[in-house]
Amino acid sequence: MPQREMPLPTVLDPRGRTFGEEERVAVLRVLDSAVLCGAFGHEARALEAEMAQLYGRAEAVSCSSGTAALHLAVAAAGVGPGDEVITTPISDFGTVAPVVAQGGRVVFADVREDDGNLDPDAVEAAVTPRTKAVIAVHLFGGAADTVRLREICDRHGLLLIEDCAQAWLGEDEAGRLLGTTGDIACFSLQQYKHITAGDGGLTLTDDPSLATRMRLFMDKGWDRAEGRIHRTMGLNYRMTELVAAVARVQLTRVAGVVARRRASARRLIEAVGGLPGVTVPQRRTGHAWWVVPLLVDDNTRWARGLEERGVPALPGYLERPLYANPALSGYPPGLCPRAERLIGRTLLVLPWNEGYSEDDVDRIAQALGKVATS
């Protein structure tokens, strides 16, 4: 098959992942120990220490998924029946499921039209006496405005939770790591993320009381200090030792993964920045490039044109804003018009991968050029 016709590397393909001999050794180390449960081994605790050190935060708590990480954060925030949590309508369902699971109400604020991240003005307008927290998603690896969101949360006495599932080692425009401004930051190790152990989650905080609450919630409220006493409500969200061992190796690779994604995204943007009908991301400083989001005039037409040329593309990223899903009710259409326009018309998402060669990137750029002139 000619190189130009080869499918691009994906996260479901060995060419698109960064596994090596170190991960194999780590897995065998755990199997040889005979201890696979994170409650009794040392891999999960070591991963937590290494994650906290990487981000310069006081404590990390491991768990079974990125959704579980967000559930730990929401539970630690004290969200319960009648409480409100403000967040974005453009994200994975895992961002909102924990709020619903706690009996809280998700309040959706509209987004900035240029990058799909939360509009701080819309967030502030949505604050009520029942608001407990704000979940800021760093969409696609680009920074939400955590400086303004932090100020809003501080003024109203709210907890700020950063959803960094798509933003490993991303930075804001001042060079601060995403995940270091919020009271709690949540990360995912799911198959499609920058690094993976299949599934898995991590939270970060500098507040020891929040860390304690999250650790208890992760392990059925059991502090394991005085026998079998369950001090608070909790679930079994423990990370296994196999997952933690793989994740520890992957953590050593994440800087290289992000660097390669940044280099290839820069190459693409330089090639297509002047194409008619295409607007490239304007906030690129510190972007982690989980995917490459573009703004176009008709995302369905562009996605179809790219697919015909062998380049995968997602029109709108989601099929509908989160509040339009059957699992949620009581939200009217038109609630967040900018988000709805992005999803329905202007947002085009290109899956991105550190395994892309320069030839792969050039091929994507050429396909975009052909669609622009077709």
Side-chain angles (χ1 to χ4, degrees):
M1 182 183 294
Q3 179 66 32
R4 66 180 181 278
E5 297 176 10
M6 284 282 289
L8 293 165
T10 77
V11 294
L12 302 179
D13 167 1
R15 296 180 304 143
R17 295 280 60 173
T18 55
F19 299 129
E21 184 60 27
E22 295 88 348
E23 283 86 355
R24 293 184 182 90
V25 170
V27 168
L28 292 175
R29 180 175 70 238
V30 173
L31 291 175
D32 290 343
S33 78
V35 178
L36 276 65
C37 176
F40 308 109
H42 73 274
E43 299 287 347
R45 302 293 84 76
L47 172 65
E48 290 168 350
E50 289 155 7
M51 180 69 174
Q53 182 178 31
L54 178 64
Y55 274 82
R57 301 210 71 171
E59 298 201 51
V61 180
S62 62
C63 56
S64 55
S65 70
T67 302
L70 284 154
H71 202 169
L72 265 59
V74 169
V79 173
D83 292 329
E84 296 177 349
V85 177
I86 301 170
T87 193
T88 170
I90 305 182
S91 185
D92 180 82
F93 194 74
T95 299
V96 298
V99 179
V100 178
Q102 290 296 106
R105 178 173 181 268
V106 183
V107 175
F108 292 100
D110 212 347
V111 298
R112 302 185 300 208
E113 197 158 19
D114 62 342
D115 68 357
N117 275 308
L118 272 174
D119 175 3
D121 290 335
V123 169
E124 181 140 40
V127 173
T128 75
R130 294 179 298 278
T131 306
K132 200 86 169 185
V134 173
I135 301 177
V137 177
H138 298 298
L139 190 65
F140 308 141
D145 190 348
T146 47
V147 172
R148 282 201 59 203
L149 293 172
R150 174 79 276 169
E151 186 272 326
I152 291 167
C153 287
D154 288 346
R155 185 150 34 85
H156 293 279
L158 311 175
L159 212 71
L160 177 60
I161 300 168
E162 293 181 74
D163 182 343
C164 302
Q166 302 177 1
W168 281 89
L169 292 188
E171 300 168 346
D172 65 16
E173 292 185 354
R176 287 181 294 261
L177 280 171
L178 305 181
T180 58
T181 302
D183 298 282
I184 301 172
C186 302
F187 295 78
S188 173
L189 291 160
Q190 188 260 354
Q191 182 73 35
Y192 275 76
K193 300 308 187 287
H194 289 80
I195 56 174
T196 185
D199 256 316
L202 288 155
T203 67
L204 292 171
T205 187
D206 294 324
D207 185 326
S209 65
L210 290 175
T212 296
R213 286 180 229 163
M214 289 191 290
R215 200 171 294 283
L216 284 169
F217 193 79
M218 173 266 288
D219 196 14
K220 297 179 286 187
W222 184 2
D223 67 7
R224 297 182 181 268
E226 299 180 48
R228 206 177 184 93
I229 300 174
H230 300 270
R231 300 194 177 280
T232 62
M233 173 58 193
L235 299 171
N236 180 357
Y237 278 150
R238 293 189 301 262
M239 178 181 284
T240 71
E241 289 288 275
L242 285 169
V243 166
V246 172
R248 289 181 67 192
V249 181
Q250 287 279 286
L251 203 64
T252 69
R253 303 188 191 279
V254 67
V257 166
V258 173
R260 290 193 294 276
R261 285 174 176 248
R262 283 174 172 162
S264 57
R266 187 181 311 116
R267 184 180 183 90
L268 180 78
I269 287 168
E270 289 172 354
V272 305
L275 286 179
V278 176
T279 301
V280 299
Q282 301 304 298
R283 296 182 181 90
R284 298 194 289 273
T285 301
H287 207 297
W289 302 109
W290 181 61
V291 295
V292 172
L294 303 173
L295 297 180
V296 295
D297 48 11
D298 180 348
N299 56 17
T300 301
R301 178 183 76 82
W302 279 82
R304 187 184 306 117
L306 289 173
E307 292 282 355
E308 289 170 355
R309 292 164 174 84
V311 174
L314 297 172
Y317 171 54
L318 305 174
E319 295 176 354
R320 58 188 64 81
L322 286 178
Y323 53 76
N325 279 281
L328 301 174
S329 60
Y331 299 96
L335 178 63
C336 296
R338 291 193 294 273
E340 292 185 16
R341 175 172 169 76
L342 281 164
I343 292 168
R345 183 75 181 178
T346 62
L347 176 62
L348 182 74
V349 166
L350 304 181
W352 212 241
N353 195 287
E354 62 274 14
Y356 286 178
S357 66
E358 290 186 352
D359 287 344
D360 290 331
V361 176
D362 293 345
R363 175 178 149 200
I364 296 168
Q366 290 162 10
L368 283 161
K370 289 176 181 175
V371 177
T373 57
S374 64

Tab-separated table of all heavy atoms in Angstrom, residues 130-154:
chain	number	residue	atom	x	y	z
A	130	ARG	N	-27.474	28.414	45.422
A	130	ARG	CA	-27.342	26.955	45.496
A	130	ARG	C	-26.074	26.439	44.836
A	130	ARG	O	-25.761	25.247	44.922
A	130	ARG	CB	-28.559	26.298	44.843
A	130	ARG	CG	-29.869	26.548	45.577
A	130	ARG	CD	-31.048	25.898	44.883
A	130	ARG	NE	-31.250	26.426	43.538
A	130	ARG	CZ	-31.894	27.550	43.258
A	130	ARG	NH1	-32.384	28.296	44.248
A	130	ARG	NH2	-32.057	27.965	42.019
A	131	THR	N	-25.315	27.322	44.181
A	131	THR	CA	-24.113	26.874	43.472
A	131	THR	C	-23.046	26.419	44.461
A	131	THR	O	-22.745	27.112	45.438
A	131	THR	CB	-23.547	28.005	42.597
A	131	THR	OG1	-24.575	28.503	41.734
A	131	THR	CG2	-22.397	27.482	41.745
A	132	LYS	N	-22.465	25.257	44.188
A	132	LYS	CA	-21.457	24.680	45.077
A	132	LYS	C	-20.071	24.694	44.440
A	132	LYS	O	-19.059	24.816	45.137
A	132	LYS	CB	-21.839	23.241	45.412
A	132	LYS	CG	-21.203	22.672	46.647
A	132	LYS	CD	-22.016	23.017	47.873
A	132	LYS	CE	-21.560	22.235	49.087
A	132	LYS	NZ	-22.418	22.463	50.250
A	133	ALA	N	-20.022	24.515	43.099
A	133	ALA	CA	-18.722	24.383	42.444
A	133	ALA	C	-18.846	24.724	40.965
A	133	ALA	O	-19.954	24.770	40.407
A	133	ALA	CB	-18.183	22.952	42.604
A	134	VAL	N	-17.697	24.950	40.360
A	134	VAL	CA	-17.582	25.123	38.909
A	134	VAL	C	-16.602	24.075	38.400
A	134	VAL	O	-15.531	23.888	38.988
A	134	VAL	CB	-17.070	26.538	38.548
A	134	VAL	CG1	-16.789	26.652	37.043
A	134	VAL	CG2	-18.072	27.606	38.993
A	135	ILE	N	-16.982	23.372	37.332
A	135	ILE	CA	-16.060	22.442	36.678
A	135	ILE	C	-15.639	23.063	35.355
A	135	ILE	O	-16.447	23.240	34.446
A	135	ILE	CB	-16.700	21.063	36.416
A	135	ILE	CG1	-17.162	20.427	37.726
A	135	ILE	CG2	-15.704	20.151	35.698
A	135	ILE	CD1	-17.875	19.091	37.548
A	136	ALA	N	-14.364	23.420	35.269
A	136	ALA	CA	-13.796	24.010	34.051
A	136	ALA	C	-13.083	22.914	33.259
A	136	ALA	O	-12.136	22.299	33.758
A	136	ALA	CB	-12.813	25.121	34.405
A	137	VAL	N	-13.543	22.673	32.056
A	137	VAL	CA	-12.925	21.676	31.179
A	137	VAL	C	-11.925	22.369	30.262
A	137	VAL	O	-12.272	23.342	29.595
A	137	VAL	CB	-13.997	20.953	30.338
A	137	VAL	CG1	-13.352	19.965	29.370
A	137	VAL	CG2	-15.001	20.251	31.239
A	138	HIS	N	-10.707	21.895	30.231
A	138	HIS	CA	-9.710	22.426	29.290
A	138	HIS	C	-9.886	21.670	27.974
A	138	HIS	O	-9.213	20.686	27.686
A	138	HIS	CB	-8.309	22.265	29.869
A	138	HIS	CG	-8.093	23.018	31.143
A	138	HIS	ND1	-8.175	24.395	31.218
A	138	HIS	CD2	-7.820	22.597	32.406
A	138	HIS	CE1	-7.944	24.785	32.469
A	138	HIS	NE2	-7.730	23.712	33.199
A	139	LEU	N	-10.816	22.172	27.179
A	139	LEU	CA	-11.304	21.449	26.014
A	139	LEU	C	-10.235	21.276	24.948
A	139	LEU	O	-9.563	22.243	24.561
A	139	LEU	CB	-12.510	22.191	25.421
A	139	LEU	CG	-13.299	21.472	24.333
A	139	LEU	CD1	-13.971	20.207	24.890
A	139	LEU	CD2	-14.340	22.414	23.738
A	140	PHE	N	-10.077	20.046	24.509
A	140	PHE	CA	-9.159	19.676	23.427
A	140	PHE	C	-7.680	19.883	23.763
A	140	PHE	O	-6.818	19.738	22.915
A	140	PHE	CB	-9.492	20.420	22.129
A	140	PHE	CG	-10.922	20.303	21.698
A	140	PHE	CD1	-11.585	21.391	21.143
A	140	PHE	CD2	-11.616	19.114	21.846
A	140	PHE	CE1	-12.910	21.283	20.736
A	140	PHE	CE2	-12.946	19.000	21.457
A	140	PHE	CZ	-13.597	20.096	20.893
A	141	GLY	N	-7.386	20.270	25.015
A	141	GLY	CA	-6.011	20.563	25.411
A	141	GLY	C	-5.705	22.032	25.485
A	141	GLY	O	-4.586	22.423	25.835
A	142	GLY	N	-6.695	22.879	25.154
A	142	GLY	CA	-6.531	24.325	25.247
A	142	GLY	C	-7.044	24.843	26.578
A	142	GLY	O	-7.991	24.296	27.163
A	143	ALA	N	-6.458	25.920	27.069
A	143	ALA	CA	-6.741	26.397	28.422
A	143	ALA	C	-8.077	27.127	28.522
A	143	ALA	O	-8.346	28.056	27.761
A	143	ALA	CB	-5.623	27.326	28.886
A	144	ALA	N	-8.908	26.696	29.479
A	144	ALA	CA	-10.014	27.533	29.917
A	144	ALA	C	-9.432	28.713	30.713
A	144	ALA	O	-8.282	28.667	31.161
A	144	ALA	CB	-10.971	26.727	30.789
A	145	ASP	N	-10.223	29.755	30.873
A	145	ASP	CA	-9.742	30.966	31.557
A	145	ASP	C	-9.820	30.760	33.066
A	145	ASP	O	-10.682	31.306	33.755
A	145	ASP	CB	-10.569	32.176	31.129
A	145	ASP	CG	-9.969	33.499	31.609
A	145	ASP	OD1	-9.049	33.454	32.461
A	145	ASP	OD2	-10.425	34.553	31.155
A	146	THR	N	-8.876	29.961	33.601
A	146	THR	CA	-8.921	29.643	35.023
A	146	THR	C	-8.573	30.836	35.905
A	146	THR	O	-8.915	30.840	37.094
A	146	THR	CB	-7.991	28.460	35.350
A	146	THR	OG1	-6.727	28.665	34.733
A	146	THR	CG2	-8.587	27.155	34.870
A	147	VAL	N	-7.900	31.823	35.363
A	147	VAL	CA	-7.613	33.021	36.166
A	147	VAL	C	-8.918	33.713	36.533
A	147	VAL	O	-9.182	34.010	37.713
A	147	VAL	CB	-6.677	33.977	35.410
A	147	VAL	CG1	-6.544	35.305	36.160
A	147	VAL	CG2	-5.308	33.343	35.222
A	148	ARG	N	-9.760	33.962	35.544
A	148	ARG	CA	-11.039	34.617	35.826
A	148	ARG	C	-11.984	33.688	36.583
A	148	ARG	O	-12.707	34.120	37.487
A	148	ARG	CB	-11.699	35.073	34.525
A	148	ARG	CG	-11.092	36.355	33.947
A	148	ARG	CD	-12.053	37.027	32.997
A	148	ARG	NE	-13.306	37.382	33.643
A	148	ARG	CZ	-14.460	37.574	32.978
A	148	ARG	NH1	-14.508	37.418	31.661
A	148	ARG	NH2	-15.559	37.892	33.635
A	149	LEU	N	-11.982	32.412	36.225
A	149	LEU	CA	-12.854	31.476	36.927
A	149	LEU	C	-12.458	31.342	38.392
A	149	LEU	O	-13.321	31.237	39.271
A	149	LEU	CB	-12.835	30.121	36.231
A	149	LEU	CG	-13.469	30.087	34.833
A	149	LEU	CD1	-13.221	28.740	34.163
A	149	LEU	CD2	-14.965	30.390	34.890
A	150	ARG	N	-11.150	31.365	38.661
A	150	ARG	CA	-10.676	31.328	40.042
A	150	ARG	C	-11.189	32.548	40.809
A	150	ARG	O	-11.633	32.440	41.966
A	150	ARG	CB	-9.152	31.288	40.037
A	150	ARG	CG	-8.431	31.389	41.377
A	150	ARG	CD	-8.424	30.081	42.128
A	150	ARG	NE	-9.654	29.867	42.891
A	150	ARG	CZ	-9.990	28.719	43.456
A	150	ARG	NH1	-9.209	27.665	43.341
A	150	ARG	NH2	-11.123	28.612	44.137
A	151	GLU	N	-11.103	33.714	40.185
A	151	GLU	CA	-11.558	34.944	40.838
A	151	GLU	C	-13.057	34.891	41.117
A	151	GLU	O	-13.517	35.274	42.206
A	151	GLU	CB	-11.209	36.141	39.941
A	151	GLU	CG	-11.504	37.503	40.551
A	151	GLU	CD	-12.926	37.965	40.286
A	151	GLU	OE1	-13.471	37.650	39.207
A	151	GLU	OE2	-13.499	38.642	41.172
A	152	ILE	N	-13.827	34.386	40.152
A	152	ILE	CA	-15.281	34.263	40.338
A	152	ILE	C	-15.593	33.295	41.480
A	152	ILE	O	-16.422	33.576	42.356
A	152	ILE	CB	-15.951	33.800	39.027
A	152	ILE	CG1	-15.872	34.910	37.968
A	152	ILE	CG2	-17.406	33.384	39.269
A	152	ILE	CD1	-16.226	34.448	36.562
A	153	CYS	N	-14.917	32.151	41.475
A	153	CYS	CA	-15.153	31.163	42.531
A	153	CYS	C	-14.775	31.706	43.907
A	153	CYS	O	-15.502	31.507	44.887
A	153	CYS	CB	-14.384	29.876	42.229
A	153	CYS	SG	-15.078	28.898	40.877
A	154	ASP	N	-13.649	32.402	43.989
A	154	ASP	CA	-13.224	32.960	45.274
A	154	ASP	C	-14.236	33.996	45.776
A	154	ASP	O	-14.557	34.041	46.975
A	154	ASP	CB	-11.849	33.593	45.146
A	154	ASP	CG	-10.738	32.564	45.003
A	154	ASP	OD1	-10.992	31.371	45.274
A	154	ASP	OD2	-9.624	32.944	44.606
